[in-house]
Amino acid sequence: MSEIKGQLLGVILVLMIFGAVSAAMVAIFNGLTQTVEDQVSEMTNTSRKNARYQMSELVSYK
């Protein structure tokens, strides 16, 4: 009977560790996703500003 209890305890321990690691990884990936989203948004806005400036230069050149 103690063998079954030991195995059950081992399985429960493995599941708890797996749950803790997966929760930590989800939190890390969510943070990284937000960082990447912010950087892409910033780059997109910069590109649009540059494109508008270049278009205004072309229009004023005529």
Side-chain angles (χ1 to χ4, degrees):
M1 192 65 157
S2 65
E3 220 176 284
I4 294 173
K5 288 180 186 176
Q7 288 180 352
L8 188 58
L9 182 62
V11 169
I12 291 171
L13 185 61
V14 166
L15 291 175
M16 286 175 52
I17 291 171
F18 179 75
V21 169
S22 65
M25 290 181 71
V26 166
I28 289 170
F29 283 127
N30 283 340
L32 290 175
T33 301
Q34 185 62 43
T35 302
V36 169
E37 184 179 324
D38 293 342
Q39 289 178 352
V40 168
S41 177
E42 182 180 331
M43 291 174 75
T44 303
N45 290 337
T46 303
S47 295
R48 287 180 182 165
K49 288 178 185 175
N50 289 340
R52 286 186 195 130
Y53 175 75
Q54 290 172 355
M55 289 300 291
S56 67
E57 288 293 316
L58 288 174
V59 170
S60 64
Y61 180 71
K62 289 183 179 179

